[in-house]
Amino acid sequence: AAAGSGLRSLSSAASGLWDRLSVLGAGVSKLEKALGDHFPEGERYFGLENFGNTCYCNSVLQALYHCIPFREQLLEYYATYKNTEDSEDNLLTCLADLFAQITLAKKRTGVLAPKRFVQRVRKQNELFRSYMHQDAHEFWNFLVNDIIDILEEDCRTANSSPETTPEEVSNRAANALANGARERPLVTLVHRTFQGILTNETKCLMCDTITAKDETFFDLSIDVEQNSSLTSCLKSFFSTEILNGEDKFFCDKCSSLQEAHKRMKIKKAPHVLVIHLKRFKYVEQLSRHKKLSYRVVYPLELKLGSMSEDADCEYSLFAVVVHVGSSPNHGHYVSQIKSHGNWLSFDDDTVQISEESTLQTFYGSSREHCGGNTDHGYILFYERLGGKS
């Protein structure tokens, strides 16, 4: 119902948008023919044009567009800000425009040119101005943090205006802000979709006092090991560390340095869990980064178990950003997306049906220097099962 109301608002706010839309190709596409009667009603599958090594951007955008909770909230934001006369262009409005262009497209498939969005990214961050190969994870981090900054600034601007009522503040943010934003830290569509809370626990081995500190996260960056699984890599990430020798912990109760056990745990699991596999490692002997092609098996269904305070927390994989190439400094990015039960491959302007079994080809190589396949899962997107956290 929420999605339906959001789309109705979208339609009323989208006057003139199609005039700015560049769609290539005509007639019934190969993808439409391939899906046939199984093409999801109301869904759109659009490739994104590459503007000179912007595959890092396109692959992350496809994962975000097919993250339904994020898409629905962003489209609601779009419907509201389009009705605001004094709204200025920024990265969030450009992203909302792009999502609306796809959603409101008359055709079910095609290719879009995200030129305005890419131009805005390059204007905003010099890291992405060159036509060199970029890191999709760095782009992901930049994008989500910039969206938060924009919404926080929106809230500050609205609150500082003497004419602005609380109702207008709420409308300006179009469900991107949570109720009570003035009193509590701002909760945006990014926080609601991707934010989790980690608890860092340190236990003094002398007095058994536990010191706990919470920190928020939007993704987990996990070290990878050869011939391992995502679950085992996560268990290593959350394993207990012994603090001794020069690393002893200062215990406030003992008023001295003591040996301690330190571990992390997920206190609040996010609605969408994003996991970054750290495949690019700096090697001091080489004075450069190298890509780790290690075989890491990631499951379609992920259970956090003892890693989370909610031991029954379970997730389902819906997107994989894949790095293609043997080096961190060159290569290509594509996305594998699960939409309405079908797996699809998004490779810049090309969208094709994929098979679930194809995901196995992105696990990595069981031998480091065997050559051959260089397509490896890099960023994994899991949606929580059983409703929101």
Side-chain angles (χ1 to χ4, degrees):
S5 63
L7 286 174
R8 283 193 293 275
S9 302
L10 259 178
S11 298
S12 62
S15 175
L17 177 65
W18 187 252
D19 296 335
R20 296 187 280 112
L21 182 59
S22 308
V23 183
L24 312 178
V28 178
S29 66
K30 288 182 180 179
L31 183 60
E32 286 177 285
K33 289 178 182 176
L35 285 171
D37 294 337
H38 299 290
F39 200 107
E41 185 179 352
E43 191 57 273
R44 300 288 183 269
Y45 297 127
F46 275 72
L48 297 173
E49 194 177 321
N50 190 315
F51 286 95
N53 267 339
T54 54
C55 55
Y56 68 91
C57 170
N58 290 345
S59 58
V60 171
L61 290 179
Q62 294 290 8
L64 281 175
Y65 183 79
H66 292 283
C67 175
I68 304 303
F70 182 81
R71 184 208 300 185
E72 288 179 349
Q73 291 176 85
L74 189 60
L75 292 177
E76 289 173 5
Y77 174 86
Y78 167 86
T80 301
Y81 98 79
K82 271 298 173 188
N83 293 326
T84 307
E85 293 180 7
D86 61 345
S87 62
E88 293 183 10
D89 236 13
N90 56 46
L91 200 63
L92 181 58
T93 60
C94 289
L95 181 64
D97 276 349
L98 179 62
F99 276 31
Q101 287 175 14
I102 298 172
T103 302
L104 297 167
K106 295 175 183 177
K107 294 183 180 180
R108 299 192 295 178
T109 64
V111 179
L112 286 182
K115 192 171 183 179
R116 272 182 65 237
F117 179 80
V118 171
Q119 285 175 337
R120 192 74 206 186
V121 168
R122 287 174 172 166
K123 180 180 180 181
Q124 207 105 343
N125 191 324
E126 61 181 303
L127 179 68
F128 304 112
R129 282 176 201 163
S130 75
Y131 289 87
M132 303 276 290
H133 184 68
Q134 302 292 345
D135 188 328
H137 181 249
E138 287 183 1
F139 171 70
W140 151 262
N141 268 327
F142 160 68
L143 182 58
V144 295
N145 284 293
D146 201 71
I147 290 172
I148 292 169
D149 289 345
I150 290 167
L151 290 170
E152 287 178 343
E153 181 59 31
D154 275 359
C155 188
R156 281 193 295 269
T157 302
N159 286 345
S160 65
S161 172
E163 298 87 15
T164 306
T165 65
E167 291 76 20
E168 287 170 330
V169 172
S170 177
N171 290 337
R172 282 283 301 268
N175 290 324
L177 310 184
N179 293 330
R182 295 184 184 207
E183 293 79 24
R184 298 191 298 273
L186 189 63
V187 179
T188 69
L189 54 89
V190 173
H191 293 90
R192 283 206 290 274
T193 309
F194 301 110
Q195 182 179 268
I197 300 175
L198 287 174
T199 294
N200 208 323
E201 293 182 346
T202 307
K203 181 181 179 180
C204 175
L205 297 184
M206 177 60 72
C207 67
D208 288 339
T209 299
I210 295 176
T211 304
K213 182 181 179 183
D214 291 348
E215 59 181 281
T216 59
F217 68 93
F218 297 117
D219 66 75
L220 298 176
S221 285
I222 306 296
D223 287 316
V224 294
E225 300 160 16
Q226 179 59 291
N227 291 319
S228 62
S229 67
L230 177 62
T231 303
S232 66
C233 291
L234 282 168
K235 284 181 178 177
S236 294
F237 181 81
F238 288 105
S239 63
T240 300
E241 177 186 359
I242 299 175
L243 302 179
N244 55 20
E246 293 182 355
D247 297 323
K248 282 184 179 179
F249 168 73
F250 186 86
C251 176
D252 288 334
K253 188 171 182 180
C254 297
S255 297
S256 60
L257 290 171
Q258 297 292 345
E259 291 190 351
H261 280 168
K262 181 181 178 182
R263 68 159 295 184
M264 282 192 298
K265 201 172 189 178
I266 296 177
K267 182 177 182 178
K268 177 182 176 293
H271 184 45
V272 174
L273 176 63
V274 181
I275 300 175
H276 163 230
L277 301 180
K278 294 165 72 172
R279 290 196 176 274
F280 303 141
K281 179 182 180 181
Y282 186 78
V283 182
E284 287 191 19
Q285 297 94 319
L286 302 174
S287 296
R288 62 177 172 84
H289 284 82
K290 67 171 284 189
K291 181 180 178 182
L292 303 177
S293 59
Y294 297 164
R295 178 177 170 83
V296 180
V297 177
Y298 46 86
L300 295 172
E301 308 290 329
L302 176 67
K303 293 183 179 180
L304 294 181
S306 61
M307 295 175 280
S308 171
E309 288 190 5
D310 181 0
D312 296 325
C313 189
E314 190 173 355
Y315 287 88
S316 178
L317 183 69
F318 73 89
V320 182
V321 173
V322 177
H323 181 264
V324 181
S326 57
S327 164
N329 302 316
H330 58 79
H332 186 52
Y333 286 101
V334 299
S335 287
Q336 299 291 315
I337 308 285
K338 187 178 184 181
S339 172
H340 301 273
N342 302 308
W343 280 97
L344 302 166
S345 171
F346 290 81
D347 183 352
D348 285 334
D349 55 6
T350 304
V351 186
Q352 298 176 316
I353 285 185
S354 185
E355 297 293 333
E356 190 176 278
S357 58
T358 305
L359 296 174
Q360 299 174 21
T361 65
F362 306 125
Y363 288 162
S365 307
S366 56
R367 288 176 295 166
E368 192 173 352
H369 301 292
C370 63
N373 182 19
T374 62
D375 306 2
H376 306 124
Y378 184 50
I379 310 175
L380 310 173
F381 291 76
Y382 284 90
E383 183 168 15
R384 187 165 182 174
L385 297 174
K388 294 185 179 180
S389 56

